[in-house]
Amino acid sequence: MAEKMKAAVFHKFGNLENVTVEEVDIPEAGEGEVLVRVEAAGVNPVDAKIVQGYLKNALPHEFPVVSGWDFAGVVEERGFSARRFEPGDKVYGYARRPVVQWGTFAEHLVIPESYLAHRPGNIPVEQAAGIPLVGLTAYQSLYDAGDIQEEEKVLILGASGGVGSMGIQLAKEQSAYVIGVASEKNHAYMKKLGADEAVDYRGNDVGKAVQEIHKEGVDLIFDCTGGETLQQSLKSLKPEGRLVSIRNRGADLDSNIRHKYVFVEPNSSELQHLRELVESGRIGLPVSEVFELAEVVEALEKVETLHTKGKMVIKM
Ligand SMILES: NC(=O)c1ccc[n+]([C@@H]2O[C@H](COP(=O)([O-])OP(=O)(O)OC[C@H]3O[C@@H](n4cnc5c(N)ncnc54)[C@H](OP(=O)(O)O)[C@@H]3O)[C@@H](O)[C@H]2O)c1
């Protein structure tokens, strides 16, 4: 009989209360896969959206589904031909597979070794656990899709959240000029991360506010919010400027706008680069709250608000 583990699972789409901590079989590592012991997992807005069924037509799934998409942990066993890591190696990763089923809010996880990297050794496991999804998202948006260049002006919408916190730091790493957008209570936080300027979206037209200071406009908008804030911001984009969005796939956008949508994918070499940046002290991810696995519903309810700062994490 398979050994058991605790995992936060749901058996049907619906309310966040559908997620319960249950005993389930520990999965076995297959070809090219490793079994890891999860020590901590990042809590992301997508975790709530998945439970509520918003992505059910976009992503195939198989019930029961274990929630959670990123983690830090320790390699325990290796499947056939999985030889890049040794048992005992401390790793982190983004675990989205083509079929949504085995998530990271669990004591164990089977994952292709190609999704993993050694985790930063200089930070607590809670911080490492929150980096993969938001770090890769900001990396793939600014560096891959956005092709951000030195000295460019970058406007980041939703810059005090998980993705935005990484976005500010990765943009500064490229010597860009960063304008962060969030509510005023988070302005000091964004500036501490490196933002050159902060703009409030509440009671303010973000595009007009940016235009008043930067008449020539910005080179790149990194949109982590969508909606009205995105629409307002477009007037501050240079005619030849680029928009990279993780919220808007092209709806209600003028066809003249150079727009790319990013849906983050696992990437081991980018995780290694992020680790190097963290270990050299150049970037980091502030953790605002740590939950226990039993508090998973509370964590999902909070992250769903889209007003948390930095990263929330579940510790196993
Ligand atoms: N496509 C992808 O691959 C991908 C990957 C990761 C995330 N996402 C999505 O991207 C979004 C952001 O993710 P996250 O993890 O960074 O979320 P988060 O941690 O909840 O951060 C949300 C951020 O948005 C700000 N905000 C909320 N409403 C706003 C508005 N109307 N205008 C401007 N800023 C606003 C918040 O600031 P205040 O608290 O100050 O309001 C905060 O800075 C989520 O919807 C998530 O599902 C997509």
Side-chain angles (χ1 to χ4, degrees):
M1 228 174 60
E3 283 186 65
K4 300 281 186 185
M5 65 173 182
K6 281 199 186 100
V9 303
F10 58 98
H11 298 260
K12 59 176 185 188
F13 294 117
N15 295 334
L16 298 177
E17 291 80 29
N18 285 353
V19 181
T20 52
V21 177
E22 296 176 14
E23 296 266 317
V24 302
D25 288 350
I26 296 179
E28 270 181 37
E31 182 182 354
E33 295 176 333
V34 295
L35 175 71
V36 295
R37 179 167 55 79
V38 178
E39 292 178 280
V43 183
N44 292 284
V46 71
D47 300 323
K49 289 180 192 162
I50 296 237
V51 178
Q52 291 159 334
Y54 289 124
L55 298 176
K56 67 182 176 192
N57 297 325
L59 299 176
H61 50 274
E62 212 158 293
F63 291 119
V65 172
V66 179
S67 288
W69 270 3
D70 62 355
F71 80 100
V74 178
V75 173
E76 284 199 323
E77 286 171 19
R78 306 183 297 182
F80 178 77
S81 88
R83 295 295 172 260
R84 281 181 51 206
F85 297 93
E86 298 285 334
D89 279 0
K90 294 181 174 182
V91 293
Y92 70 160
Y94 167 47
R96 178 167 75 84
R97 310 283 293 266
V99 174
V100 177
Q101 184 180 16
W102 293 106
T104 59
F105 296 171
E107 292 173 318
H108 298 269
L109 170 76
V110 159
I111 182 167
E113 64 169 7
S114 60
Y115 287 29
L116 296 178
H118 290 284
R119 73 186 196 223
N122 61 328
I123 54 171
V125 67
E126 298 90 329
Q127 280 177 34
I131 290 175
L133 192 153
V134 296
L136 289 174
T137 303
Y139 195 108
Q140 291 169 16
S141 299
L142 290 169
Y143 291 3
D144 299 344
D147 192 23
I148 186 172
Q149 301 295 315
E150 228 172 273
E151 311 300 335
E152 281 193 322
K153 283 187 182 158
V154 183
L155 178 64
I156 303 181
L157 310 177
S160 62
V163 180
S165 295
M166 295 304 280
I168 291 173
Q169 298 172 87
L170 291 178
K172 289 311 295 177
E173 189 56 27
Q174 282 299 99
S175 304
Y177 185 91
V178 177
I179 308 159
V181 176
S183 58
E184 199 183 351
K185 68 178 186 319
N186 289 321
H187 286 192
Y189 168 83
M190 294 191 293
K191 287 189 172 162
K192 202 167 167 207
L193 289 179
D196 298 284
E197 270 175 60
V199 172
D200 195 352
Y201 67 87
R202 291 184 200 247
N204 202 11
D205 182 313
V206 167
K208 273 192 197 153
V210 173
Q211 265 184 325
E212 272 169 25
I213 307 169
H214 304 280
K215 298 206 171 21
E216 73 294 356
V218 300
D219 302 285
L220 178 63
I221 296 177
F222 176 26
D223 167 42
C224 308
T225 62
E228 210 186 328
T229 303
L230 168 61
Q231 293 302 332
Q232 291 172 354
S233 74
L234 293 174
K235 56 174 94 65
S236 67
L237 187 62
K238 284 181 179 172
E240 70 281 14
R242 292 107 59 209
L243 164 67
V244 176
S245 180
I246 57 172
R247 291 296 307 269
N248 187 310
R249 293 171 187 262
D252 303 324
L253 290 178
D254 191 316
S255 58
N256 293 326
I257 294 174
R258 293 170 65 194
H259 162 257
K260 283 186 184 166
Y261 171 76
V262 168
F263 191 10
V264 58
E265 291 186 351
N267 188 308
S268 176
S269 58
E270 292 180 348
L271 279 181
Q272 282 179 45
H273 189 195
L274 287 168
R275 183 193 78 211
E276 287 160 19
L277 291 172
V278 173
E279 287 185 339
S280 63
R282 304 183 70 85
I283 66 169
L285 182 60
V287 170
S288 57
E289 200 162 354
V290 179
F291 296 86
E292 292 177 10
L293 187 58
E295 299 169 316
V296 60
V297 173
E298 192 190 327
L300 290 171
E301 283 171 352
K302 270 204 176 159
V303 83
E304 185 196 17
T305 65
L306 295 176
H307 293 297
T308 61
K309 186 166 72 178
K311 196 78 225 134
M312 298 195 309
V313 168
I314 293 179
K315 196 152 184 213
M316 299 310 143

